[in-house]
Amino acid sequence: MPRIKINGKKTLSGEISVEGAKNSAVALIPASILCDEEVKINNLPNISDIDSLEEILEHLNVKVSSGNHSITIDAKNMKNEEISCILSNKLRASYYFMGALLGKYKFVKMCFPGGCSIGERPINLHLKGFEKLGAVIEENDGEFVIHADELIGDEIFLDIPSVGATINIILASVKAKGETIIENAAMEPEIVDVCNCLNSMGAKIKGVGTGRLEITGVSYLHSCEHSVVPDRIEAGTYVIMASLLGKNLKITNLNPLHIESLTSKLEEAGVKLEIGEDYVLCKKVREYNAIDITTMVYPGFPTDLQQPMVPFLVSCNGTSHIEETIWENRFMNIPDTVKMGASIEINDDNTIATIYGKRNLIGKEVVSTDLRGGASMVICGLIADGTTIVDNIEHILRGYEDIVGKLKNVGADIEIID
Ligand code: EPU
């Protein structure tokens, strides 16, 4: 199995360009099957999650041509086949085919989706939304059959502003009869991106970017070309690296407004950043002070950047805290960070990590337990003395395009080994 080998403590200089957002792209691809004509999506990240979605499209007899960070999707001759566990378990976002196929055919048969085991990850709110639109749900041992005679718009209140539920209900309702209202909708930039793409096909979604979405069903969606919004989590991961090791390291092709919750926290710790229209530059590394972080839905501090922040907090003077409020199991990277020399305690509820700085890390063989935990271990390796080997890197490659090549390019001593 491939692993990442890092010889740490190298200064990083130059430019790293951010790709299109994984969590937007993985929704835009299933959304495209709702279109009655051809859809072209540009600025698509080259990551394994996208390959897994392409496999599902091909299984559904959708005409796909991809390459050079673009995909063209033509669903005119598609067949509404059952999506097996083997196909759906490769990634969490396969669940967007539930909303999209239900919206298109009023029938979907598929297995419960996979993804990182960062928590229980129920889909009750997605299903509640489908039911409100008139769907009937049958579940048998992880196999879902969801069908409706007709989908009719209704008012849906989400108990939690769930990213997945918001997008899935949008997908099921853009072609439903009448008006659907989603209250307490999630407001992440990826949701805005999906709504913008659907609206450019002729969907009628109002309130985009707010907690109240009003969707008036349409019967036909026409061709469109859409560019995926920059990946704020990939951007944030590299900005954290720049804060720790950057000497004129510029992270480009990002939207600074989307990572304000991160940059404001880094600045609170003492990081000096030059923030431009589409870049963040760190000229030099300084001494940093401990800070506290609480993960929240957008525009709060994203849970997906909590793990990459751990090595930063390990390097700060004083004691920092991370409170994780979204996922129950998102400190899986901590044991290996401790193995490398960090001093971190987790409370009994597994909700708060107390990080005692400032500790020097030493290279070890560690595991990538999940996507962002893996990115966190890479950062640990970059700042550690000696050699770090990161195992199970398939998690990392699901979400970070060419992370090794990008880091090598700016001076890291990093390679993939067998
Ligand atoms: N929740 C429910 N019921 C539901 C849906 C969600 O109780 O039906 C709960 C979850 O258990 C969780 C909270 O609501 O406690 C938020 O979950 P959400 O539905 O917002 O998460 P998601 O859609 O499954 C997406 C991203 C995650 C990211 C979260 C939160 C994708 C494919 N995944 O997941 O990204 O952590 O939103 O921002 O968009 C990652 O990229 O590493 C990643 C895990």
Side-chain angles (χ1 to χ4, degrees), residues 247-377:
K247 188 172 178 200
N248 291 319
L249 182 63
K250 192 174 184 182
I251 315 304
T252 60
N253 190 29
L254 53 76
N255 184 336
L257 292 177
H258 292 172
I259 53 167
E260 230 181 330
S261 58
L262 170 72
T263 50
S264 71
K265 273 290 167 190
L266 292 172
E267 286 172 341
E268 187 186 322
V271 181
K272 294 271 183 290
L273 296 169
E274 182 181 308
I275 301 179
E277 210 171 293
D278 65 351
Y279 72 87
V280 172
L281 168 72
C282 181
K283 289 189 178 151
K284 66 171 189 178
V285 175
R286 294 157 200 269
E287 283 283 303
Y288 303 133
N289 295 320
I291 46 168
D292 292 339
I293 286 166
T294 302
T295 62
M296 298 230 217
V297 296
Y298 189 82
F301 193 94
T303 168
D304 296 343
L305 284 175
Q306 172 268 99
Q307 291 165 298
M309 272 303 270
V310 170
F312 177 83
L313 300 177
V314 166
S315 309
C316 289
N317 292 306
T319 303
S320 301
H321 299 92
I322 296 177
E323 183 175 5
E324 171 59 56
T325 68
I326 312 286
W327 299 115
E328 313 90 64
N329 195 21
R330 226 174 189 184
F331 289 132
M332 288 187 290
N333 53 312
I334 300 288
D336 272 356
T337 310
V338 169
K339 181 168 145 189
M340 291 178 75
S343 174
I344 304 173
E345 281 166 10
I346 299 174
N347 68 343
D348 290 344
D349 293 350
N350 209 28
T351 50
I352 299 174
T354 303
I355 300 162
Y356 302 99
K358 159 183 184 154
R359 298 295 197 275
N360 195 35
L361 298 183
I362 295 162
K364 288 269 159 39
E365 180 151 1
V366 295
V367 177
S368 162
T369 53
D370 58 286
L371 168 57
R372 310 301 172 189
S376 181
M377 295 326 299

Side-chain angles (χ1 to χ4, degrees), residues 40-45 50 54 64-72 225-226:
K40 185 168 185 203
I41 302 171
N42 300 317
N43 199 32
L44 197 71
I50 299 298
E54 274 188 47
V64 178
S65 77
S66 62
N68 210 6
H69 290 103
S70 281
I71 188 168
T72 305
E225 187 164 343
H226 181 83

Side-chain angles (χ1 to χ4, degrees), residues 33 56-62 75-84 97-110 144-148:
I33 66 162
I56 297 180
L57 289 178
E58 274 156 18
H59 169 75
L60 297 172
N61 203 41
V62 174
K76 279 200 281 293
N77 296 320
M78 79 177 280
K79 294 194 178 110
N80 190 12
E81 303 279 357
E82 172 179 357
I83 301 175
S84 69
F97 280 103
M98 282 185 175
L101 288 169
L102 182 66
K104 191 176 174 89
Y105 295 105
K106 300 178 187 60
F107 181 90
V108 52
K109 187 170 183 191
M110 72 176 286
F144 284 84
V145 177
I146 309 172
H147 57 95

Side-chain angles (χ1 to χ4, degrees), residues 22-23 26 92-93 95-96 116 118 120-127 160-165 188 232-233 303-304 325-328 330 371-372:
K22 167 182 93 77
N23 288 345
V26 296
R92 183 77 190 158
Y95 60 23
Y96 290 134
C116 289
I118 51 180
E120 209 169 294
R121 310 194 81 169
I123 55 166
N124 57 311
L125 299 174
H126 306 226
L127 301 178
I160 301 171
S162 150
V163 173
E188 271 68 4
R232 65 197 165 99
I233 307 302
T303 168
D304 296 343
T325 68
I326 312 286
W327 299 115
E328 313 90 64
R330 226 174 189 184
L371 168 57
R372 310 301 172 189

